[in-house]
């Protein structure tokens, strides 16, 4: 199984809403300037996204309301980011085998 198929399989299994893969070799100078030696070894980038629940999105225009902000923070922001981290770790482990 090639790498793209492995990536797609993992992301479909994780029910990711959208993702993209970018060849970073074409923007090496900009990446090196922004990230220094931390990013020098990376030739590819993977971006993943998860859809927020409609009920949360519907409240975002009222995000200045502390109750709405807390609802978003605890029910979506933390859980979505934890899930994104988990997916990224799974991808990383697969790609580094």
């Amino acid at each position: 199984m090639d790498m793209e198929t492995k990536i797609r399989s993992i992301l479909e299994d994780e029910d990711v809403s959208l993702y993209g893969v970018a060849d970073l070799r074409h923007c090496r100078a900009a990446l090196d300037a922004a990230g220094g030696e931390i990013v020098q070894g990376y030739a590819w980038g993977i971006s993943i996204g998860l859809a927020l629940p409609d009920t949360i999105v519907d409240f975002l225009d009222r995000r200045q309301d502390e109750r709405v902000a807390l609802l978003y923070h605890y029910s979506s922001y933390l859980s979505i980011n934890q899930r994104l981290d988990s997916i990224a770790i799974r991808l990383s482990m697969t790609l580094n085998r």
Side-chain angles (χ1 to χ4, degrees):
M1 182 183 303
D2 71 336
M3 196 56 63
E4 186 176 343
T5 304
K6 286 181 186 179
I7 292 168
R8 186 180 314 114
S9 175
I10 290 170
L11 297 178
E12 287 174 357
D13 184 52
E14 294 285 352
D15 201 25
V16 168
S17 304
L18 63 126
Y19 74 94
V21 178
D23 182 349
L24 302 177
R25 294 172 293 183
H26 303 292
C27 55
R28 188 82 270 147
L31 285 172
D32 290 349
E37 60 186 60
I38 293 172
V39 299
Q40 287 178 352
Y42 296 101
W44 297 90
I46 301 172
S47 179
I48 55 178
L50 299 170
L52 293 172
D54 289 344
T55 53
I56 298 299
V57 173
D58 292 343
F59 279 112
L60 288 179
D61 63 338
R62 295 179 29 211
R63 64 187 172 275
Q64 302 305 324
D65 180 331
E66 184 177 356
R67 294 170 298 170
V68 171
L70 288 172
L71 174 67
Y72 167 72
H73 182 75
Y74 289 108
S75 70
S76 288
Y77 180 82
L78 293 176
S79 61
I80 292 284
N81 279 293
Q82 183 177 34
R83 187 146 171 255
L84 287 169
D85 287 346
S86 174
I87 295 166
I89 289 168
R90 183 175 172 199
L91 273 174
S92 176
M93 290 173 61
T94 299
L95 295 174
N96 287 315
R97 287 187 194 151

